[in-house]
């Protein structure tokens, strides 16, 4: 599939977004370990999350899907059965890493495989600490890459400082810790999304978190079965929020979206660039806060994104780079080398596509310098098989002269089924009545010291 995009007329629209990807993966896994039936609403039925659902089915868990976004998970009190064949993680790094942690705690042997893209992604970050906990893991690919053959069981809790900030690795170790003797403590070099710990707590598993985001889980606990509603994915909303922010007087309201503070840092960046941003938390009942975000666009000014803040908006950097290209001045992204090992090398992909559309960009080992404001022109750009690159450049197309074609855009289904429908609305916005007043606002995040 390719996407064809023309310049957006005035944006003034209200939307919702599908369920949060990170929370969907974790909710299925933890519900599967629980002591009964859990109904999960707002589940994201994307390709990545369905790989996690099918993996849990392969491990003996009955999961019904009466609606695309509703799952009924029949937890079996931590009992999983050996899979009859390899578990396919597709292109989902979150599935492979979280499952590596879960399977490290099981006494049977299993094998995690995926597509060509995931076979290039680093797995040593999860293998090394799981081996320290006592798991037997063989990485069959070159340089500790997948397929992963795992024979677990008899784990011991460890105290581990993550060498790189990664919520997937933290999540994997917490799931392994649930099956380990004693306690497992994870220290992280900078904060990352905290959904594993929040959801474990929601399902009444005891964890302890300190102010720096370090987290401890105690082994041998059974999650208590409960129903859960997954909020909309703020990282999916980010594409539209940036589109509204870069258009002077553009206006967007997103409802029912997750507002966990470990995921909203990019809103602080939009504020720093001058956009008007408001958020109002409306629901905290289920531990994962959700509510409304409203953005009004202005001519944006460039900013510097660096240091410890970067891990908190790592998934939003492709679209923030597009915002940078349209902003006035030099936008600098540093300390973002993790972008090189995402679904593609996102630093190279962003630089390549921005240049193709007429922007001036300098690529650095750990980031980018983008010289704005660029007069973007429509062009044929590649997705590089990466959903966030495809979506970021579809948004860039809304602000380019002429037609933009995003090639190989099927990968968008990994995280955002229905993206094209919203894109269509942004190309022909029907003006909608915004009825509910929005309260509360954010302060701009200060620029980080290097
Ligand atoms: C995710 C964590 C992040 C993020 C990814 C989803 C998660 O990766 O980029 O899209 O659900 O834990 P890292 O673990 O590499 O930070």
């Amino acid at each position: 599939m390719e996407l064809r995009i023309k310049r957006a007329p005035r944006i003034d629209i209200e939307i919702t977004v599908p369920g949060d990807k990170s929370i969907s993966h974790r909710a299925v896994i933890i519900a599967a370990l629980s002591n009964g039936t859990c109904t999960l609403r707002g589940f994201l039925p994307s390709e990545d999350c369905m790989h996690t659902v099918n993996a849990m089915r392969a491990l003996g868990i009955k999961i019904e899907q009466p609606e695309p976004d509703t799952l009924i998970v029949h937890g079996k009190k931590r009992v999983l059965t050996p899979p009859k064949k390899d578990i396919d993680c597709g292109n989902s790094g979150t599935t492979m890493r979280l499952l590596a942690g879960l399977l490290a705690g099981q006494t049977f042997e299993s094998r995690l495989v995926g597509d060509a893209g995931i076979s290039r992604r680093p797995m040593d970050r999860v293998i090394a600490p799981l081996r320290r906990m006592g798991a037997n893991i063989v990485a069959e690919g070159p340089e500790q890459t997948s397929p992963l053959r795992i024979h677990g069981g008899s784990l011991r809790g460890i105290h581990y400082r993550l060498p790189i900030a990664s919520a997937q690795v933290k999540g994997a170790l917490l799931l392994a810790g649930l099956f380990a003797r004693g306690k497992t403590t994870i220290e992280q070099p900078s904060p990352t999304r905290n959904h594993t710990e929040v959801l474990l707590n929601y399902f009444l598993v005891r964890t302890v978190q300190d102010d720096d985001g370090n987290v401890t889980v105690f082994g041998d606990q059974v999650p208590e079965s409960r129903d859960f509603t997954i909020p909309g994915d703020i990282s999916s909303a980010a594409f539209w929020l940036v589109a509204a922010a870069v258009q002077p007087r553009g206006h967007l309201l997103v409802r029912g979206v997750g507002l966990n503070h470990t995921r909203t840092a990019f809103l602080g960046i939009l504020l720093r660039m001058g956009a008007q941003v408001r958020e109002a938390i409306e629901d905290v009942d289920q531990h994962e806060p959700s509510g409304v975000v409203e953005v009004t666009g202005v001519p944006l000014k460039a900013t510097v994104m660096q240091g410890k803040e970067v891990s908190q908006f790592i998934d939003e950097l492709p679209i923030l780079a597009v915002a940078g290209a349209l902003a006035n001045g030099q936008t600098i992204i540093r300390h973002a080398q993790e972008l090189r090992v995402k679904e593609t090398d996102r630093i190279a992909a962003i630089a390549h596509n921005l240049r193709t559309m007429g922007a001036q960009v300098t690529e650095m080992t750990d980031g980018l310098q983008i010289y704005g404001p660029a007069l973007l022109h429509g062009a044929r750009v590649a997705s590089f098989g990466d959903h966030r690159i495809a979506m970021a450049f579809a948004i860039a197309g809304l602000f380019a002269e002429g037609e933009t074609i995003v090639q190989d855009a099927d990968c968008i289904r990994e995280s955002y089924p229905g993206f094209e429908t919203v894109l269509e609305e942004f190309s022909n916005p029907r003006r909608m009545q915004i009825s509910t007043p929005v309260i509360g606002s954010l302060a701009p995040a200060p620029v980080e010291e290097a």
Side-chain angles (χ1 to χ4, degrees), residues 80-206:
L80 301 174
T81 45
K84 294 197 174 61
K85 51 184 177 98
D86 294 348
I87 294 179
D88 181 11
C89 303
N91 191 34
S92 175
T94 312
T95 305
M96 187 167 281
R97 293 185 179 126
L98 291 182
L99 284 183
L102 177 69
L103 293 170
Q106 314 306 316
T107 47
F108 51 78
E109 185 168 291
S110 44
R111 188 164 176 266
L112 296 174
V113 301
D115 68 9
I118 205 166
S119 309
R120 286 191 291 271
R121 297 184 65 186
M123 291 296 150
D124 46 339
R125 54 184 61 192
V126 72
I127 295 172
L130 289 173
R131 282 186 182 145
R132 273 185 52 187
M133 293 178 83
N136 184 347
I137 306 185
V138 178
E140 296 176 7
E143 293 174 48
Q144 301 287 301
T145 52
S146 63
L148 303 183
R149 189 176 288 282
I150 303 176
H151 201 118
S154 303
L155 299 187
R156 54 189 170 270
I158 55 169
H159 187 119
Y160 189 70
R161 185 171 164 77
L162 297 175
I164 25 168
S166 164
Q168 292 174 353
V169 178
K170 178 176 60 171
L173 300 184
L174 290 174
L175 290 172
L178 207 55
F179 289 87
R181 283 189 312 281
K183 64 177 186 178
T184 299
T185 299
I186 321 294
E187 277 184 55
Q188 38 185 6
S190 54
T192 60
R193 63 194 71 194
N194 64 3
H195 303 302
T196 313
E197 42 275 47
V198 165
L199 274 189
L200 284 171
N201 287 164
Y202 176 77
F203 286 93
L204 305 188
V205 171
R206 183 163 170 251

Side-chain angles (χ1 to χ4, degrees), residues 22 26 94 165-168 193 314-315 338 342 388:
S22 294
R26 289 159 171 84
T94 312
S166 164
Q168 292 174 353
R193 63 194 71 194
I314 195 79
D315 286 345
E338 269 298 292
K342 293 291 177 188
R388 295 195 204 283

